[in-house]
Amino acid sequence: MTAPLDKSEATSRQLLFSAAAFIQSSSLLSSFVMVLTGRESWISALLGLCISLLLVWAYTALVKRYPGKNLFGILAAVFGEPLGRLFSFFYVFFFLSMVAVGANDVSGFVVDYIMPQTPQVVIVLTFLFVCGWAARKGAGGICRMGFLFFLLAVAVTLVNILLLAKDMQLSNFLPVFQLPLGRYLQGGFVVASVPLGEVLVFLMFAPNLEAGGGFRRSMFIGLALGAATLLTVILRNVAVLGNLASVASLPSYEAVRHIKLAEVITRVDLLYALTMLFLQFFKTAIYFYAAALGLAQVFRLRDYKYLLPAMGALAAAYAFILFGPSMENIYGGSRVLPVFAAVFEGVLPLFTLLAAFLRRGGRMRRKEALA
């Protein structure tokens, strides 16, 4: 399976900030975990980080074992032509599904909070067109945007915390450890699979790192920065909203709407809205690129860019068929999507790594037998 031509290069620092910004795009939503563990969601965030460290170790171990290959190249090298191609099709479906999820999240947010009179189809098609345009720039072009979006998310989060300081109450965190153990574990599983484990997609960027680029270091530091943002956002939401954080469809947005200083500084929620849209664009563009690149590799095409219009149309139809109102999406995001994602972010990568170890062990035993 030969990779299509993508000569763009990214530095390890660009990959680091891209991974952090990728996670931040989900942290600004946060309802996926707060609906489960409410004001104790910070515990779930810490558990999810511990689980995701194992996942990222598996991803980096695969890249180290198969240098110069992306996820689809690794699958072909480990499992061979028939099985490797089958798993590759599964991952194309997964990446395309995440494109549809991103388009649905953006369209639902815009219609519910910003432009309620705008037809949803217009928002979805416009959003996917912009994401497809970004995907044409390749891995290097996408990663160059990572640092800008990372700084934007950090700056907006810090400003919001400062402006909300007067509305925060430490009593909202008490009492602690009141939920059943299973609820915390479920919350940790959700955090590990939805925002943190999704960095699996950056395996598609591994061959584009410039010579000497440190994939493992970039992924672990990016994971840490993204998880820190997630934890900070959850703590802010709980301090401001208390128990209401578990019932709000967008806890971060509801918390930011509390900002009001002397009738001068108001409607800061619009800044949050723009930040969320930018980050969702960045995340969806990465999945768009990964889906098109992977499908081009499966069919041995010379260029993935010709597939972008067709895949955008499929993603748009997918978004309209499978996803519904925002509260239904919250339920799916906390109970259905984590299980679906865990198959591709946890089960298959760990199985691939195990198969790679066994394959290498078998080759070594054959060499010893022939010696």
Side-chain angles (χ1 to χ4, degrees), residues 31-33 35-36 101 105 186 189-191 193-195 323 326-339 341:
S31 56
F32 55 86
V33 63
V35 71
L36 293 173
V101 169
D105 287 341
Q186 184 182 7
F189 170 73
V190 169
V191 172
S193 42
V194 177
F323 303 107
S326 58
M327 293 309 296
E328 292 182 9
N329 293 335
I330 291 174
Y331 177 86
S334 60
R335 291 174 171 82
V336 179
L337 182 59
V339 177

Side-chain angles (χ1 to χ4, degrees), residues 47-61:
L47 287 174
L49 175 61
C50 295
I51 298 172
S52 62
L53 289 173
L54 172 63
L55 297 179
V56 173
W57 170 82
Y59 305 157
T60 58

Side-chain angles (χ1 to χ4, degrees), residues 146-158:
F147 182 65
L148 175 62
F149 289 136
F150 170 79
L151 282 184
L152 176 63
V154 170
V156 170
T157 301
L158 292 178

Side-chain angles (χ1 to χ4, degrees), residues 84 130 344:
V130 176
F344 298 94

Side-chain angles (χ1 to χ4, degrees), residues 7-20 138-147 202 205-219 222 282:
K7 294 184 178 180
S8 62
E9 290 188 350
T11 66
S12 58
R13 181 172 297 183
Q14 289 172 341
L15 181 67
L16 185 159
F17 288 115
S18 295
I142 294 175
C143 284
R144 278 194 289 272
M145 298 185 289
F147 182 65
F202 284 97
F205 291 70
N208 300 91
L209 276 183
E210 61 183 12
F215 184 81
R216 172 170 294 186
R217 177 177 176 273
S218 298
M219 293 306 297
F282 181 67

Side-chain angles (χ1 to χ4, degrees), residues 260-279:
K260 191 174 184 180
L261 296 179
E263 301 296 334
V264 176
I265 301 179
T266 59
R267 297 310 308 270
V268 182
D269 53 301
L270 293 178
L271 182 60
Y272 159 82
L274 289 174
T275 304
M276 198 204 82
L277 291 176
F278 283 137
L279 289 174

